[in-house]
Amino acid sequence: MAIGHVLLGILERGPAHGYDLKRTHDERFPSAKPLAFGQVYAGLAKLASDGLVEVAETQQEGGPERTTYAITPAGVETLESWLAAMESAGPYPADELVRKTITSLLRGADTTAFLQRQRATHLAVMRELVASQADVTNAAASIAIDHSISHLDADLRWLETAAERVAADRTRTA
Amino acid sequence: MNEDRMDEVLLDSQSVHKSFGRTEALRGASLSVAAGEVVAVTGPSGSGKSTLLLCAAGVLRPESGRVTYAGQDLDELGEAERSRLRRRDFGLVLQFGQLVPEMSAVQNVALPLLLDRHDKASSFTAARGWLERLDALDLADARPGEMSGGESQRIAIARALVSGPRVIFADEPTGALDTVNSERVLQVLLEVSRETSASLVLVTHDNRVAAVADREVILRDGSNELRVGA
C-alpha cells in the first residue's frame, strides 16, 4: 500500500490533518498524480483500523470538523519495514522506487545505504538477464530480454545519479 | 570462476595514489584480482577507473601505494622488465582499439610476439589463429582505417590475447560499440578468460558489462566506495 506508507512517512514528522497530508504529498511528488481527498481519507481510515495512526485531536471552529492524525509506534515500525524491504527489480518498479528513495531522504535516513543495496539487487537481476541473453538463439527471445535489460539499465542509471546527488547534497550541507 | 582459485590473489593494488598535475586521480584506491576471476571496475566519470587499471597493468607508476603481480612488486622492476611483463603476461584492450594505422590487422596482432623476439613465421601463424578464433580472418590484410569499430575492436582483442596473457585488462572495451557488437566482443573476452583461466579486469560504465563479472569494485573520487550499512 504505497500511498499509506507515504502518509506514514509524512505523519512521522508530526501530526497532520487530511488537507495537510494531501498538500505535502503533492509537494513531495510533483511528477505524480495529485492525491484526491477521497484517497487521503480512505487511506487514513485503513491506517487507523490497522492501528498504524490514531486521532490526535478533533476541532470544530464554525466549519466542518477537522481531525488531526498522529502516527503510532506500530505505524513507525510498518514504515521502517517498508523502507527496509528491497523493491522487486521488475517489471515496473520505478514509481515505488522513487517514492521510497524520496521518503527515505526527507526522513533523514541513510539513503546512500539504501541506494547501494538496491543497486546490488538490480545488478543481480541484470546478471541473470545478460546470462540468459547469451543462451538464446532466436531474435524474438533476444528482443524480449533486451526490453527487460533496457528498463533495468535505465533504473540502474537512475540509482547511480540519485547516489551522486545524495552525496553532493551531503557535501553541500555538511 | 573456479571456487578453488578464489583465494589465490594474482594481482594486488593497495592504497594507490596517482596525480596528473594538480588533479588527484587516485586517492588510495585498491583492487585485488584472483587468478581466473572476472572483476568489473565501475564508478562515475572521473572516479579514477582507467587510472587504476593502468597502474595495475604497470603502464603508470603510482606515487604511493603498492602494486604487485604474482607477488612481485612492480615498482621494484626496471622499465625493460615492466615492458616485458606487459608484453608476456598482460593483455590490454582499450576503448578505440589503438591499432597501428599503418599496419594490417595480422601485422597488428603479431606485433607483441615480434617485439618479444619470436620468429616471424610462428608469430604470424599465431596471429592468424587468433584472427580465425575471433571470426576475423577475412580482415587479415585490411588496415584499421578500412574497418568498422566492432571489427577494429576484435583485432585489438586478438592482439591482446596473442601472447597468452594471465591477466586481460579491458578499458571500456565496448564503449564505442552498438549492443550487438558489444555482446560479441564481451562474449569473446569471457570465453577466452574461461578457457585459459586468465583473469579479466573490465573498466566500464555499462551495467550490462558489469553484470558479467564475478565481482564489482566501485570507485568514487579516486577511492573505493564505502559500503555503508552492508
Side-chain angles (χ1 to χ4, degrees), chain B residues 59-90:
Chain B
V59 177
L60 293 175
R61 279 185 193 269
E63 277 110 36
S64 66
R66 193 159 183 262
V67 179
T68 63
Y69 165 68
Q72 169 72 56
D73 190 333
L74 297 195
D75 205 38
E76 290 170 359
L77 299 178
E79 233 13 89
E81 285 172 298
R82 286 163 72 93
S83 290
R84 193 160 47 241
L85 181 70
R86 288 198 301 264
R87 279 201 310 273
R88 292 182 180 172
D89 284 30
F90 296 167

Side-chain angles (χ1 to χ4, degrees), chain A residues 57-66:
Chain A
E57 193 182 12
T58 305
Q59 285 184 323
Q60 190 164 25
E61 294 171 354
E65 192 179 82
R66 270 197 351 171

Side-chain angles (χ1 to χ4, degrees), chain B:
Chain B
M1 64 171 288
N2 206 334
E3 284 297 322
D4 58 13
R5 293 202 308 267
M6 283 296 281
D7 295 329
E8 191 194 325
V9 174
L10 183 62
L11 192 75
D12 197 23
S13 304
Q14 291 297 324
S15 307
V16 175
H17 285 76
K18 178 71 187 171
S19 299
F20 299 101
R22 286 187 197 167
T23 307
E24 264 189 300
L26 292 178
R27 298 191 281 190
S30 297
L31 171 69
S32 288
V33 183
E37 191 180 21
V38 180
V39 177
V41 182
T42 64
S45 303
S47 58
K49 305 184 293 289
S50 297
T51 307
L52 182 60
L53 178 132
L54 293 173
C55 286
V59 177
L60 293 175
R61 279 185 193 269
E63 277 110 36
S64 66
R66 193 159 183 262
V67 179
T68 63
Y69 165 68
Q72 169 72 56
D73 190 333
L74 297 195
D75 205 38
E76 290 170 359
L77 299 178
E79 233 13 89
E81 285 172 298
R82 286 163 72 93
S83 290
R84 193 160 47 241
L85 181 70
R86 288 198 301 264
R87 279 201 310 273
R88 292 182 180 172
D89 284 30
F90 296 167
L92 190 60
V93 182
L94 302 170
Q95 185 174 353
F96 296 106
Q98 265 78 4
L99 299 174
V100 181
E102 295 81 10
M103 297 171 102
S104 69
V106 70
Q107 286 169 333
N108 264 286
V109 178
L111 191 58
L113 296 177
L114 294 169
L115 288 172
D116 215 21
R117 301 183 183 184
H118 288 245
D119 70 81
K120 203 172 166 185
S122 67
S123 299
F124 276 88
T125 302
R128 285 186 181 279
W130 275 105
L131 287 176
E132 190 171 9
R133 168 84 173 74
L134 288 159
D135 209 9
L137 195 54
D138 56 332
L139 297 169
D141 298 322
R143 290 180 197 278
E146 299 162 345
M147 299 177 211
S148 69
E151 289 169 343
S152 296
Q153 199 60 316
R154 274 187 284 150
I155 305 305
I157 288 174
R159 185 180 60 180
L161 301 177
V162 74
S163 306
R166 289 182 69 194
V167 185
I168 305 162
F169 296 93
D171 188 357
E172 302 282 9
T174 62
L177 306 179
D178 57 61
T179 304
V180 173
N181 272 304
S182 292
E183 280 175 4
R184 202 168 171 189
V185 160
L186 204 54
Q187 204 57 38
V188 169
L189 286 171
L190 289 169
E191 277 172 18
V192 171
S193 162
R194 221 172 287 138
E195 286 166 16
T196 65
S197 296
S199 306
L200 176 58
V201 183
L202 293 159
V203 161
T204 187
H205 68 274
D206 185 337
N207 295 307
R208 278 167 266 230
V209 177
V212 303
D214 298 318
R215 194 160 54 81
E216 185 185 27
V217 172
I218 306 174
L219 293 189
R220 261 180 218 290
D221 298 327
S223 311
N224 295 64
E225 181 178 82
L226 292 173
R227 305 303 292 173
V228 290

Side-chain angles (χ1 to χ4, degrees), chain A residues 1 3 6 31 51 111 144 155 164-165 167 171:
Chain A
M1 189 176 57
I3 294 300
V6 168
S31 60
T111 310
D155 269 3
E164 286 291 293
R165 293 196 196 283
T171 307

Side-chain angles (χ1 to χ4, degrees), chain A residues 63-149:
Chain A
E65 192 179 82
R66 270 197 351 171
T67 305
T68 302
Y69 291 87
I71 193 167
T72 64
V76 173
E77 213 175 295
T78 300
L79 176 65
E80 284 175 346
S81 300
W82 177 63
L83 290 172
M86 291 301 95
E87 283 303 305
S88 148
Y92 298 110
D95 285 351
E96 189 74 341
L97 203 51
V98 173
R99 283 193 190 104
K100 195 176 276 198
T101 304
I102 291 174
T103 303
S104 166
L105 186 66
L106 294 176
R107 188 172 180 256
D110 192 347
T111 310
T112 302
F114 168 74
L115 292 169
Q116 284 179 355
R117 291 200 306 270
Q118 191 65 57
R119 175 179 165 75
T121 302
H122 270 64
L123 202 60
V125 178
M126 177 72 100
R127 200 165 275 141
E128 288 169 16
L129 288 169
V130 169
S132 64
Q133 184 68 290
D135 293 336
V136 299
T137 50
N138 68 82
S142 284
I143 288 166
I145 295 171
D146 282 341
H147 184 259
S148 300
I149 287 177

